[in-house]
Amino acid sequence: MTTNPILEIRNLHKHYGDVEVLKGVDCSMQRGDVVCVIGSSGSGKTTMLRCINMLEEFSDGSIRIDGEDIGYELRDGRRQRKSEKEVARQRALTGMAFQQFNLFPHMSAAENVMLGLVKVKKMTRDEARAVAEKWLDRVGLLSRRDHYPGQLSGGQQQRVAIARAIAMSPRLMLFDEVTSALDPELVNEVLVVIQDLAREGMTMLLVTHEMRFAFEVSTRVIFMNQGRIGEEGDPKEMFLRPKSERLAEFLKNSSFH
Amino acid sequence: MDFSFAQFLHELWIARVPLLQGVGITIASAALAIVAGTVLGVFVGLALTYGAAPLRLPMRGYTDFIRGTPVLVLVLASYYILGTAGIQLGPFQAGVLALAVFCSSHVGEIVRGALQAIHKGQIEAAKAIGLTFSQTFVSVLMPQAIRQILPTWVNTAAEMVKASTLLSIIGVGDLLLASQEVISRTFMNMPFYLFAGFLYFAINFGIERFGRFVERKTHIPS
Protein backbone atom coordinates (compact mmCIF):
# COMPACT_ATOMS: atom_id res chain seq x y z
CA MET A 1 0.00 0.00 0.00
CA THR A 2 1.39 3.33 -1.04
CA THR A 3 -1.00 5.93 0.41
CA ASN A 4 -3.86 5.80 2.86
CA PRO A 5 -7.12 4.88 1.14
CA ILE A 6 -9.83 7.55 0.99
CA LEU A 7 -12.45 4.85 1.44
CA GLU A 8 -11.99 1.54 3.15
CA ILE A 9 -14.87 -0.87 3.58
CA ARG A 10 -14.28 -3.99 5.60
CA ASN A 11 -16.57 -6.97 6.02
CA LEU A 12 -19.70 -4.87 5.50
CA HIS A 13 -22.88 -6.65 6.53
CA LYS A 14 -26.44 -5.42 6.27
CA HIS A 15 -29.71 -7.21 6.72
CA TYR A 16 -33.36 -6.29 6.68
CA GLY A 17 -34.89 -8.72 9.15
CA ASP A 18 -33.85 -12.18 7.98
CA VAL A 19 -32.81 -11.07 4.52
CA GLU A 20 -29.10 -10.48 4.25
CA VAL A 21 -28.46 -7.84 1.60
CA LEU A 22 -24.74 -7.38 2.11
CA LYS A 23 -22.81 -10.48 3.08
CA GLY A 24 -19.38 -9.15 3.83
CA VAL A 25 -18.14 -6.56 1.34
CA ASP A 26 -14.51 -5.45 1.30
CA CYS A 27 -13.41 -2.63 -0.91
CA SER A 28 -11.08 0.32 -0.89
CA MET A 29 -10.52 3.41 -2.99
CA GLN A 30 -7.59 5.76 -3.45
CA ARG A 31 -7.85 9.47 -4.06
CA GLY A 32 -8.78 10.15 -7.69
CA ASP A 33 -10.28 6.71 -8.27
CA VAL A 34 -13.43 6.51 -10.33
CA VAL A 35 -15.10 3.26 -9.44
CA CYS A 36 -18.27 2.00 -11.07
CA VAL A 37 -20.38 -0.57 -9.30
CA ILE A 38 -22.41 -2.76 -11.62
CA GLY A 39 -24.64 -5.74 -11.03
CA SER A 40 -28.23 -6.82 -11.34
CA SER A 41 -30.92 -5.28 -9.16
CA GLY A 42 -30.99 -6.72 -5.68
CA SER A 43 -27.27 -7.40 -5.72
CA GLY A 44 -26.75 -4.83 -2.95
CA LYS A 45 -24.89 -2.15 -4.90
CA THR A 46 -27.17 0.74 -3.98
CA THR A 47 -27.38 -0.44 -0.37
CA MET A 48 -23.59 -0.46 -0.13
CA LEU A 49 -23.47 3.09 -1.48
CA ARG A 50 -26.10 4.24 0.99
CA CYS A 51 -24.23 2.72 3.92
CA ILE A 52 -21.24 4.92 3.14
CA ASN A 53 -23.16 8.06 4.08
CA MET A 54 -25.32 6.36 6.69
CA LEU A 55 -28.57 6.66 4.79
CA GLU A 56 -28.66 2.99 5.69
CA GLU A 57 -27.52 1.65 9.02
CA PHE A 58 -25.32 -1.41 8.71
CA SER A 59 -25.20 -4.40 11.00
CA ASP A 60 -21.53 -5.30 10.99
CA GLY A 61 -18.18 -4.40 9.55
CA SER A 62 -16.66 -0.97 9.18
CA ILE A 63 -16.52 1.89 6.73
CA ARG A 64 -13.68 4.37 6.93
CA ILE A 65 -13.25 7.65 5.13
CA ASP A 66 -9.73 9.04 5.40
CA GLY A 67 -9.20 6.69 8.32
CA GLU A 68 -12.27 7.92 10.19
CA ASP A 69 -14.83 5.31 11.24
CA ILE A 70 -18.25 6.16 9.82
CA GLY A 71 -21.41 5.83 11.85
CA TYR A 72 -20.26 3.48 14.56
CA GLU A 73 -17.48 3.25 17.08
CA LEU A 74 -16.27 0.80 19.67
CA ARG A 75 -17.04 2.00 23.19
CA ASP A 76 -16.13 -0.30 26.09
CA GLY A 77 -15.71 -3.06 23.55
CA ARG A 78 -19.25 -2.59 22.25
CA ARG A 79 -20.25 -1.34 18.82
CA GLN A 80 -22.28 1.82 19.26
CA ARG A 81 -23.82 4.27 16.88
CA LYS A 82 -22.29 7.71 16.90
CA SER A 83 -24.41 10.70 17.90
CA GLU A 84 -26.79 12.17 15.35
CA LYS A 85 -24.72 15.35 15.23
CA GLU A 86 -21.52 13.42 14.58
CA VAL A 87 -23.20 11.33 11.89
CA ALA A 88 -24.46 14.53 10.23
CA ARG A 89 -20.91 15.90 10.19
CA GLN A 90 -19.60 12.65 8.69
CA ARG A 91 -22.29 12.64 6.01
CA ALA A 92 -20.86 15.92 4.74
CA LEU A 93 -17.54 14.16 4.06
CA THR A 94 -19.26 12.58 1.09
CA GLY A 95 -21.61 14.04 -1.48
CA MET A 96 -24.45 12.13 -3.04
CA ALA A 97 -26.51 12.40 -6.18
CA PHE A 98 -29.73 10.41 -6.27
CA GLN A 99 -31.68 8.61 -8.93
CA GLN A 100 -34.71 10.86 -8.25
CA PHE A 101 -32.60 14.08 -7.99
CA ASN A 102 -34.37 15.04 -4.73
CA LEU A 103 -33.98 18.76 -5.27
CA PHE A 104 -35.83 20.91 -2.76
CA PRO A 105 -38.88 22.04 -4.76
CA HIS A 106 -39.46 25.23 -2.78
CA MET A 107 -36.00 26.61 -3.51
CA SER A 108 -34.46 27.96 -6.68
CA ALA A 109 -31.50 26.16 -8.25
CA ALA A 110 -29.07 28.55 -6.56
CA GLU A 111 -30.79 28.21 -3.17
CA ASN A 112 -30.64 24.43 -3.45
CA VAL A 113 -26.88 24.63 -3.81
CA MET A 114 -26.53 27.32 -1.15
CA LEU A 115 -28.45 25.55 1.62
CA GLY A 116 -25.66 23.23 2.75
CA LEU A 117 -23.02 25.93 2.30
CA VAL A 118 -24.89 28.26 4.65
CA LYS A 119 -26.16 25.72 7.19
CA VAL A 120 -23.31 23.23 7.30
CA LYS A 121 -20.27 25.16 6.06
CA LYS A 122 -21.49 28.31 7.85
CA MET A 123 -20.74 30.56 4.89
CA THR A 124 -22.43 33.93 4.59
CA ARG A 125 -25.18 34.08 1.98
CA ASP A 126 -22.95 36.12 -0.33
CA GLU A 127 -20.09 33.63 -0.12
CA ALA A 128 -22.50 30.76 -0.63
CA ARG A 129 -24.08 32.45 -3.63
CA ALA A 130 -20.68 32.92 -5.25
CA VAL A 131 -19.81 29.24 -4.74
CA ALA A 132 -23.25 28.15 -5.95
CA GLU A 133 -22.94 30.23 -9.09
CA LYS A 134 -19.48 28.85 -9.79
CA TRP A 135 -20.77 25.29 -9.65
CA LEU A 136 -23.98 25.98 -11.53
CA ASP A 137 -21.79 27.49 -14.22
CA ARG A 138 -19.68 24.34 -14.23
CA VAL A 139 -22.72 22.18 -14.93
CA GLY A 140 -23.86 24.66 -17.58
CA LEU A 141 -26.86 26.05 -15.70
CA LEU A 142 -25.78 29.48 -14.49
CA SER A 143 -28.54 31.07 -16.55
CA ARG A 144 -31.07 28.88 -14.72
CA ARG A 145 -29.93 29.77 -11.21
CA ASP A 146 -33.24 31.44 -10.30
CA HIS A 147 -35.40 28.69 -11.77
CA TYR A 148 -37.26 26.32 -9.48
CA PRO A 149 -36.90 22.54 -9.92
CA GLY A 150 -40.41 22.38 -11.37
CA GLN A 151 -39.24 24.69 -14.16
CA LEU A 152 -36.26 22.51 -15.12
CA SER A 153 -36.00 19.36 -17.22
CA GLY A 154 -34.94 16.11 -15.58
CA GLY A 155 -31.43 16.40 -16.93
CA GLN A 156 -31.13 19.97 -15.69
CA GLN A 157 -32.47 19.00 -12.27
CA GLN A 158 -29.91 16.23 -12.00
CA ARG A 159 -27.11 18.63 -12.93
CA VAL A 160 -28.27 21.04 -10.23
CA ALA A 161 -28.36 18.14 -7.78
CA ILE A 162 -24.79 17.24 -8.71
CA ALA A 163 -23.73 20.87 -8.29
CA ARG A 164 -25.44 20.93 -4.87
CA ALA A 165 -23.43 17.90 -3.76
CA ILE A 166 -20.10 18.97 -5.20
CA ALA A 167 -20.31 22.55 -3.94
CA MET A 168 -19.87 21.10 -0.45
CA SER A 169 -16.39 19.94 -1.57
CA PRO A 170 -16.85 16.34 -0.45
CA ARG A 171 -13.85 14.04 -0.33
CA LEU A 172 -15.80 11.38 -2.15
CA MET A 173 -18.80 11.67 -4.48
CA LEU A 174 -21.44 8.97 -4.53
CA PHE A 175 -23.70 8.61 -7.56
CA ASP A 176 -26.72 6.37 -7.19
CA GLU A 177 -28.04 5.44 -10.65
CA VAL A 178 -28.20 9.11 -11.52
CA THR A 179 -29.36 8.58 -15.09
CA SER A 180 -31.93 5.83 -14.50
CA ALA A 181 -34.89 8.19 -14.09
CA LEU A 182 -34.02 10.31 -17.10
CA ASP A 183 -35.46 10.27 -20.58
CA PRO A 184 -32.91 8.70 -22.94
CA GLU A 185 -32.15 11.97 -24.72
CA LEU A 186 -31.27 13.65 -21.40
CA VAL A 187 -28.87 11.00 -20.17
CA ASN A 188 -25.90 12.29 -22.04
CA GLU A 189 -25.84 15.83 -20.63
CA VAL A 190 -25.55 14.35 -17.14
CA LEU A 191 -22.90 11.81 -18.12
CA VAL A 192 -20.82 14.57 -19.71
CA VAL A 193 -20.81 16.48 -16.42
CA ILE A 194 -19.70 13.41 -14.49
CA GLN A 195 -17.06 12.63 -17.06
CA ASP A 196 -15.62 16.15 -16.71
CA LEU A 197 -15.47 15.75 -12.96
CA ALA A 198 -13.68 12.44 -13.36
CA ARG A 199 -11.15 14.02 -15.66
CA GLU A 200 -10.44 16.67 -13.04
CA GLY A 201 -9.53 14.04 -10.51
CA MET A 202 -12.65 13.93 -8.36
CA THR A 203 -12.89 10.72 -6.37
CA MET A 204 -16.14 9.03 -7.31
CA LEU A 205 -18.08 5.90 -6.61
CA LEU A 206 -20.94 5.30 -9.04
CA VAL A 207 -23.69 2.76 -9.13
CA THR A 208 -24.72 2.65 -12.75
CA HIS A 209 -26.46 0.72 -15.47
CA GLU A 210 -24.66 2.66 -18.19
CA MET A 211 -22.16 0.00 -19.21
CA ARG A 212 -20.60 2.01 -21.98
CA PHE A 213 -20.02 4.85 -19.52
CA ALA A 214 -18.55 2.53 -16.88
CA PHE A 215 -16.26 1.08 -19.51
CA GLU A 216 -14.98 4.45 -20.67
CA VAL A 217 -14.80 6.51 -17.49
CA SER A 218 -13.96 4.25 -14.58
CA THR A 219 -10.50 3.40 -13.35
CA ARG A 220 -11.94 0.27 -11.78
CA VAL A 221 -15.17 -1.68 -11.93
CA ILE A 222 -16.82 -3.66 -9.16
CA PHE A 223 -19.32 -6.32 -10.09
CA MET A 224 -21.67 -7.09 -7.24
CA ASN A 225 -23.50 -10.34 -7.06
CA GLN A 226 -25.89 -11.46 -4.32
CA GLY A 227 -24.51 -9.20 -1.61
CA ARG A 228 -20.86 -9.85 -2.34
CA ILE A 229 -18.25 -8.48 -4.68
CA GLY A 230 -18.27 -10.98 -7.49
CA GLU A 231 -15.41 -9.59 -9.47
CA GLU A 232 -13.41 -6.41 -9.54
CA GLY A 233 -10.69 -4.93 -11.66
CA ASP A 234 -9.72 -2.95 -14.72
CA PRO A 235 -12.79 -2.12 -16.83
CA LYS A 236 -11.23 -3.24 -20.12
CA GLU A 237 -10.23 -6.58 -18.64
CA MET A 238 -13.55 -7.16 -16.96
CA PHE A 239 -15.81 -6.17 -19.82
CA LEU A 240 -13.83 -7.91 -22.52
CA ARG A 241 -12.58 -10.93 -20.58
CA PRO A 242 -14.91 -11.57 -17.62
CA LYS A 243 -13.51 -14.25 -15.36
CA SER A 244 -16.70 -15.41 -13.72
CA GLU A 245 -19.67 -17.05 -15.36
CA ARG A 246 -22.00 -14.63 -13.54
CA LEU A 247 -20.35 -11.50 -14.89
CA ALA A 248 -20.24 -12.89 -18.40
CA GLU A 249 -23.95 -13.59 -18.20
CA PHE A 250 -24.70 -10.17 -16.71
CA LEU A 251 -22.77 -8.40 -19.45
CA LYS A 252 -24.47 -10.46 -22.13
CA ASN A 253 -27.89 -9.42 -20.78
CA SER A 254 -27.04 -5.76 -20.33
CA SER A 255 -26.79 -3.24 -23.09
CA PHE A 256 -23.01 -3.39 -23.36
CA HIS A 257 -21.69 -4.92 -26.59
CA MET B 1 -91.14 43.69 19.46
CA ASP B 2 -90.52 46.23 16.81
CA PHE B 3 -87.50 48.49 16.90
CA SER B 4 -86.31 51.06 14.44
CA PHE B 5 -82.82 51.01 13.05
CA ALA B 6 -82.14 54.33 14.74
CA GLN B 7 -82.98 52.78 18.10
CA PHE B 8 -80.58 49.93 17.40
CA LEU B 9 -77.82 52.37 16.59
CA HIS B 10 -78.61 54.27 19.73
CA GLU B 11 -78.35 51.13 21.90
CA LEU B 12 -75.27 50.04 20.02
CA TRP B 13 -73.62 53.36 20.85
CA ILE B 14 -74.50 52.98 24.52
CA ALA B 15 -73.16 49.42 24.58
CA ARG B 16 -70.07 50.15 22.48
CA VAL B 17 -67.55 49.70 25.29
CA PRO B 18 -68.70 46.28 26.58
CA LEU B 19 -69.19 45.05 23.01
CA LEU B 20 -65.72 46.17 21.96
CA GLN B 21 -64.32 44.54 25.08
CA GLY B 22 -66.19 41.39 24.07
CA VAL B 23 -64.67 41.51 20.58
CA GLY B 24 -61.27 42.04 22.18
CA ILE B 25 -61.68 39.04 24.47
CA THR B 26 -62.95 36.85 21.63
CA ILE B 27 -59.99 37.79 19.45
CA ALA B 28 -57.51 37.49 22.31
CA SER B 29 -58.73 34.08 23.48
CA ALA B 30 -58.94 32.67 19.96
CA ALA B 31 -55.58 34.14 18.93
CA LEU B 32 -53.80 32.87 22.03
CA ALA B 33 -55.37 29.45 21.57
CA ILE B 34 -54.44 29.32 17.88
CA VAL B 35 -50.83 30.41 18.46
CA ALA B 36 -50.26 28.14 21.46
CA GLY B 37 -52.20 25.30 19.86
CA THR B 38 -50.25 25.60 16.61
CA VAL B 39 -46.86 25.63 18.30
CA LEU B 40 -47.86 22.67 20.44
CA GLY B 41 -49.48 20.99 17.45
CA VAL B 42 -46.28 21.17 15.40
CA PHE B 43 -44.48 19.22 18.12
CA VAL B 44 -47.37 16.77 18.33
CA GLY B 45 -47.22 16.33 14.55
CA LEU B 46 -43.46 15.79 14.66
CA ALA B 47 -43.83 13.21 17.41
CA LEU B 48 -46.61 11.44 15.50
CA THR B 49 -44.53 11.33 12.32
CA TYR B 50 -40.95 10.79 13.41
CA GLY B 51 -41.19 9.92 17.11
CA ALA B 52 -40.04 6.56 18.46
CA ALA B 53 -42.82 4.40 19.87
CA PRO B 54 -42.47 5.56 23.53
CA LEU B 55 -43.16 9.11 22.36
CA ARG B 56 -45.44 8.41 19.44
CA LEU B 57 -47.97 6.16 21.14
CA PRO B 58 -48.82 8.50 24.04
CA MET B 59 -49.14 11.33 21.51
CA ARG B 60 -51.45 9.21 19.39
CA GLY B 61 -53.55 8.59 22.51
CA TYR B 62 -53.52 12.29 23.35
CA THR B 63 -54.72 13.42 19.91
CA ASP B 64 -57.36 10.71 19.63
CA PHE B 65 -58.68 11.44 23.12
CA ILE B 66 -58.79 15.22 22.69
CA ARG B 67 -60.26 15.08 19.20
CA GLY B 68 -62.96 12.75 20.42
CA THR B 69 -63.99 15.08 23.23
CA PRO B 70 -66.44 17.97 22.73
CA VAL B 71 -64.78 21.37 23.17
CA LEU B 72 -67.39 22.32 25.75
CA VAL B 73 -66.37 19.35 27.88
CA LEU B 74 -62.73 20.41 27.59
CA VAL B 75 -63.63 23.95 28.63
CA LEU B 76 -65.62 22.77 31.65
CA ALA B 77 -62.96 20.22 32.60
CA SER B 78 -60.19 22.76 32.40
CA TYR B 79 -62.13 25.19 34.61
CA TYR B 80 -63.67 22.85 37.18
CA ILE B 81 -61.56 19.67 37.22
CA LEU B 82 -58.21 21.46 37.24
CA GLY B 83 -59.67 23.61 40.01
CA THR B 84 -60.42 20.62 42.23
CA ALA B 85 -57.00 19.23 41.38
CA GLY B 86 -55.52 22.34 42.97
CA ILE B 87 -54.61 24.21 39.79
CA GLN B 88 -56.82 27.26 40.09
CA LEU B 89 -57.08 29.07 36.77
CA GLY B 90 -59.23 32.07 36.04
CA PRO B 91 -62.04 31.53 33.51
CA PHE B 92 -60.08 33.21 30.71
CA GLN B 93 -56.92 31.19 31.37
CA ALA B 94 -58.84 27.94 31.73
CA GLY B 95 -60.78 28.63 28.56
CA VAL B 96 -57.70 29.48 26.52
CA LEU B 97 -55.97 26.36 27.84
CA ALA B 98 -58.89 24.17 26.75
CA LEU B 99 -59.03 25.76 23.30
CA ALA B 100 -55.25 25.51 22.87
CA VAL B 101 -55.25 21.83 23.78
CA PHE B 102 -58.11 21.21 21.38
CA CYS B 103 -56.34 23.17 18.66
CA SER B 104 -53.05 21.31 19.21
CA SER B 105 -54.63 17.91 18.59
CA HIS B 106 -56.11 19.10 15.30
CA VAL B 107 -52.96 20.89 14.18
CA GLY B 108 -50.96 17.80 15.20
CA GLU B 109 -52.96 15.66 12.79
CA ILE B 110 -52.73 18.24 10.02
CA VAL B 111 -48.96 18.51 10.46
CA ARG B 112 -48.58 14.73 10.50
CA GLY B 113 -50.51 14.43 7.26
CA ALA B 114 -48.43 17.12 5.59
CA LEU B 115 -45.09 15.70 6.77
CA GLN B 116 -46.01 12.20 5.65
CA ALA B 117 -46.88 13.52 2.21
CA ILE B 118 -43.33 14.79 1.70
CA HIS B 119 -41.22 12.37 -0.31
CA LYS B 120 -38.60 10.68 1.85
CA GLY B 121 -35.96 11.57 -0.73
CA GLN B 122 -36.19 15.11 0.62
CA ILE B 123 -34.93 14.02 4.03
CA GLU B 124 -32.25 11.87 2.42
CA ALA B 125 -31.03 14.74 0.27
CA ALA B 126 -30.87 16.99 3.34
CA LYS B 127 -28.98 14.32 5.29
CA ALA B 128 -26.59 13.81 2.40
CA ILE B 129 -25.43 17.43 2.52
CA GLY B 130 -24.90 17.11 6.27
CA LEU B 131 -27.97 18.84 7.72
CA THR B 132 -29.07 17.80 11.19
CA PHE B 133 -32.70 16.88 11.72
CA SER B 134 -33.66 20.25 13.17
CA GLN B 135 -32.01 22.05 10.24
CA THR B 136 -33.81 19.71 7.85
CA PHE B 137 -37.09 20.43 9.56
CA VAL B 138 -36.68 24.21 9.45
CA SER B 139 -35.29 24.54 5.92
CA VAL B 140 -36.71 21.58 4.02
CA LEU B 141 -39.72 19.97 5.68
CA MET B 142 -41.62 22.85 7.26
CA PRO B 143 -41.55 25.16 4.22
CA GLN B 144 -43.04 22.34 2.14
CA ALA B 145 -45.48 21.25 4.83
CA ILE B 146 -46.80 24.78 5.36
CA ARG B 147 -48.20 24.83 1.84
CA GLN B 148 -50.09 21.63 2.56
CA ILE B 149 -51.18 22.72 6.00
CA LEU B 150 -52.40 26.20 5.22
CA PRO B 151 -55.93 25.60 3.84
CA THR B 152 -56.81 23.16 6.63
CA TRP B 153 -55.13 25.31 9.23
CA VAL B 154 -57.31 28.28 8.21
CA ASN B 155 -60.34 26.06 8.82
CA THR B 156 -59.07 25.09 12.25
CA ALA B 157 -58.35 28.70 13.15
CA ALA B 158 -61.88 29.70 12.16
CA GLU B 159 -63.20 26.80 14.24
CA MET B 160 -61.28 28.15 17.22
CA VAL B 161 -62.91 31.57 16.87
CA LYS B 162 -66.29 29.89 16.83
CA ALA B 163 -65.39 27.57 19.71
CA SER B 164 -64.36 30.59 21.80
CA THR B 165 -68.08 31.35 22.23
CA LEU B 166 -68.16 28.37 24.61
CA LEU B 167 -66.02 30.35 27.05
CA SER B 168 -69.11 32.47 27.77
CA ILE B 169 -70.44 29.46 29.70
CA ILE B 170 -67.69 29.69 32.31
CA GLY B 171 -68.23 33.43 32.51
CA VAL B 172 -65.62 34.82 30.13
CA GLY B 173 -66.99 38.11 28.81
CA ASP B 174 -66.48 37.38 25.15
CA LEU B 175 -68.44 38.87 22.28
CA LEU B 176 -71.32 36.41 22.71
CA LEU B 177 -71.71 37.05 26.45
CA ALA B 178 -71.38 40.81 25.94
CA SER B 179 -74.09 40.69 23.24
CA GLN B 180 -76.36 38.62 25.47
CA GLU B 181 -75.97 41.13 28.27
CA VAL B 182 -76.96 43.95 25.95
CA ILE B 183 -79.93 41.91 24.75
CA SER B 184 -81.10 41.15 28.28
CA ARG B 185 -81.18 44.88 28.92
CA THR B 186 -82.69 46.07 25.61
CA PHE B 187 -84.64 42.95 24.47
CA MET B 188 -83.32 43.62 20.96
CA ASN B 189 -82.63 39.95 20.13
CA MET B 190 -82.50 40.02 16.37
CA PRO B 191 -80.29 43.03 15.69
CA PHE B 192 -77.68 42.26 18.34
CA TYR B 193 -77.39 38.55 17.50
CA LEU B 194 -77.13 39.51 13.84
CA PHE B 195 -74.53 42.08 14.73
CA ALA B 196 -72.54 39.54 16.76
CA GLY B 197 -72.83 37.09 13.88
CA PHE B 198 -71.52 39.72 11.51
CA LEU B 199 -68.52 40.41 13.76
CA TYR B 200 -67.67 36.68 13.98
CA PHE B 201 -67.89 36.53 10.22
CA ALA B 202 -65.61 39.55 9.90
CA ILE B 203 -62.98 37.98 12.16
CA ASN B 204 -63.05 34.70 10.25
CA PHE B 205 -63.03 36.49 6.93
CA GLY B 206 -59.85 38.24 8.10
CA ILE B 207 -58.28 34.87 8.95
CA GLU B 208 -59.26 33.49 5.57
CA ARG B 209 -57.75 36.47 3.74
CA PHE B 210 -54.58 36.07 5.78
CA GLY B 211 -54.44 32.40 4.76
CA ARG B 212 -54.82 33.34 1.08
CA PHE B 213 -52.12 35.94 1.45
CA VAL B 214 -49.65 33.40 2.89
CA GLU B 215 -50.63 30.90 0.19
CA ARG B 216 -49.76 33.44 -2.49
CA LYS B 217 -46.51 34.34 -0.74
CA THR B 218 -45.41 30.71 -0.52
CA HIS B 219 -46.48 29.65 -4.00
CA ILE B 220 -43.80 27.58 -5.75
CA PRO B 221 -43.32 28.52 -9.40
CA SER B 222 -43.34 25.61 -11.80
Side-chain angles (χ1 to χ4, degrees), chain A residues 68 92 149 257:
Chain A
E68 188 178 326
H257 299 289

Side-chain angles (χ1 to χ4, degrees), chain B residues 91-167:
Chain B
F92 181 81
Q93 296 163 310
V96 168
L97 175 67
L99 292 181
V101 164
F102 183 72
C103 184
S104 75
S105 68
H106 280 259
V107 171
E109 278 293 304
I110 300 169
V111 169
R112 180 190 61 79
L115 288 175
Q116 283 179 346
I118 296 173
H119 191 262
K120 74 175 188 349
Q122 293 288 308
I123 295 183
E124 293 186 349
K127 279 181 176 173
I129 52 176
L131 296 189
T132 60
F133 183 77
S134 55
Q135 289 172 327
T136 304
F137 178 70
V138 170
S139 301
V140 177
L141 299 176
M142 208 55 208
Q144 294 185 59
I146 279 176
R147 293 162 169 89
Q148 285 260 328
I149 288 167
L150 216 55
T152 342
W153 181 86
V154 166
N155 270 343
T156 305
E159 286 299 326
M160 298 318 296
V161 172
K162 290 187 264 175
S164 73
T165 54
L166 296 170
L167 303 197

